[in-house]
């Protein structure tokens, strides 16, 4: 099973790194073609649509992955529910587009929202395909679908932004990406997957979906709340700056978390189905995630000015203080980032929904006054919200007897050592670099040194992640020698 899981992780990482490279390329180009205000308008629209997307999915994806016995009737019910939810959400979003545009005093926001409502209608047609591919751990097919989507979105966004379409270029690009992804799904869909929806057998799915959707909806509200509140209480340019800060911070999610989570949920579910020790599996993911996250955020916090200037240009330097502050909260919560998927695999959807509601309520109480004080105050409120959510998650894991403080402390101690070692190179570069050095040179020197110290730390600590990397290297070397021998 471990060999299959390792292969799935490698393919998932390849998928996310391909998406990440395309996203970085798009961000670099679009940051120079769109103004902070234009980026901010689209960020507001994306935040609003992200909220309703949760209802559109209605927990169908998670249900299809964790369900122990999946038959044709359940698949048809899942498709029917996804289609009905998407049609209702698209209609509501289209009708609300004009009032929302007036609320934010941005007329073009209405047109962007209507385009995104049309996009929502296309998504349910893939609602059963991708979860079933994940359940079967066919990550090669998912890699193809996501790459087609990302490449289509990038090319369309850059072309239309170049032609002067502003924030509409991003909305049209999203619509084209969904169309391309749908065509790829139709080609790669698993055999035997039903084409027609049905309402029979939806009762069980409705129960699961209500809890999962409630929790996801509240969780997403907490994620998008800063952009919605900043857009209303400050201005669209401030939303743009916050969005660029989150763009750099999300590099870890795009490169690591989003690559691990599609594999982790079915992996946890398989452990539970087979009666294996899921607690040991969870501690293993915490060990590896913090060993990656803490060095990454320490590096990003130190090198934020050079990274922002290189990627986005001088007009986005206002995002630097936000990045440095929010890095603290992101590093802290990384130790609990996989807890959500463990609770879903264990069927604890109701407990997860309650956790989400409490976490988001606390975050909103912190954000509302912070938005009146400026962007830096918003960043500190986000950190405080991460502390609150981490505490709530830890209590749930104690209740489920998944971990305890004594088992967690050695893991965190090793990750802290790796973070300190990884920060040495950026500190030395910033201290001794010649004035006027190019950002690319600074980042290359700091990044190369940080990676070297991190690898040395893995070796000295005999870290689980270092062992996995060594095994992966040995397998690749063995395959290369076999190919040469032929």
């Amino acid at each position: 099973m471990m060999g299959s899981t390792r292969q799935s992780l490698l393919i998932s990482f390849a998928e996310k790194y391909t998406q990440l490279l395309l996203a970085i390329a798009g961000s670099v180009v679009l940051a120079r073609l769109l103004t902070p205000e234009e980026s901010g308008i689209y960020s507001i629209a994306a935040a609003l649509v992200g909220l309703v997307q949760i209802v559109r999915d209605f927990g169908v994806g998670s249900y299809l992955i964790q369900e122990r016995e999946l038959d044709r009737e359940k698949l048809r019910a899942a498709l029917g529910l996804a289609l009905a939810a998407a049609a209702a959400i698209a209609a509501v979003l289209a009708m609300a587009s004009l009032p929302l545009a007036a609320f934010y005093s941005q007329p073009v926001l209405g047109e962007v929202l209507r385009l995104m409502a049309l996009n929502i209608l296309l998504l349910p047609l893939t609602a059963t395909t991708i979860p079933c591919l994940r359940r079967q751990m066919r990550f090669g097919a998912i890699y193809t679908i996501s790459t087609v989507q990302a490449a289509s979105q990038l090319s369309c966004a850059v072309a239309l932004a170049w032609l002067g379409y502003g924030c509409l270029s991003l909305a049209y690009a999203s619509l084209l990406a969904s169309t391309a992804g749908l065509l790829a799904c139709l080609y790669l869909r698993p055999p035997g997957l039903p084409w027609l929806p049905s309402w029979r057998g939806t009762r069980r799915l409705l129960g699961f979906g209500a809890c999962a959707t409630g929790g996801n909806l509240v969780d997403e509200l907490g994620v998008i709340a800063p952009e919605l509140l900043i857009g209303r209480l400050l201005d669209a340019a401030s939303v743009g700056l916050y969005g660029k800060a989150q763009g750099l911070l999300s590099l870890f999610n795009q490169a690591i978390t989003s690559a691990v989570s599609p594999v982790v949920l079915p992996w946890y579910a398989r452990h539970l189905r087979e009666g294996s020790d899921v607690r040991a599996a969870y501690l293993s993911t915490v060990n590896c995630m913090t060993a990656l996250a803490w060095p990454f955020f320490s590096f990003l916090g130190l090198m934020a000015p050079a990274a922002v200037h290189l990627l986005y240009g001088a007009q986005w330097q206002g995002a630097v203080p936000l990045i440095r502050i929010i890095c603290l909260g992101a590093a802290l919560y990384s130790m609990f980032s996989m807890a959500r998927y463990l609770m879903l695999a264990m069927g604890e959807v109701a407990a997860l929904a309650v956790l989400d509601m409490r976490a988001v309520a606390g975050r909103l109480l912190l954000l509302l006054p912070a938005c009146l004080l400026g962007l830096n105050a918003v960043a500190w409120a986000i950190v405080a919200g991460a502390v609150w959510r981490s505490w709530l998650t830890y209590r749930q894991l104690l209740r489920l007897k998944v971990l305890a403080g004594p088992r967690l402390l050695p893991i965190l101690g090793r990750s802290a050592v790796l973070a300190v070692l990884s920060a040495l190179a950026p500190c030395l570069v910033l201290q001794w670099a010649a004035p006027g050095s190019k950002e690319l040179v600074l980042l290359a020197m700091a990044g190369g040194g940080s990676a070297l110290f991190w690898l040395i730390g893995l070796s000295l600590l005999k870290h689980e992640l270092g062992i996995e990397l060594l095994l992966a290297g040995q397998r690749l070397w063995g395959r290369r020698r076999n190919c040469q021998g032929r």
Side-chain angles (χ1 to χ4, degrees), residues 418-430:
L418 291 172
V420 171
L421 288 173
S422 300
L424 290 177
C427 289
L428 292 172
V429 168
L430 292 173

Side-chain angles (χ1 to χ4, degrees), residues 419-445:
V420 171
L421 288 173
S422 300
L424 290 177
C427 289
L428 292 172
V429 168
L430 292 173
Q431 180 69 29
W432 298 106
S437 298
K438 296 292 185 181
E439 288 82 7
L440 181 59
V441 175
L442 294 176
L443 287 168
M445 292 172 59

Side-chain angles (χ1 to χ4, degrees), residues 369-386:
C371 283
L372 301 175
L373 300 175
L375 284 178
N376 284 357
V378 170
W380 282 114
I382 290 171
V383 173

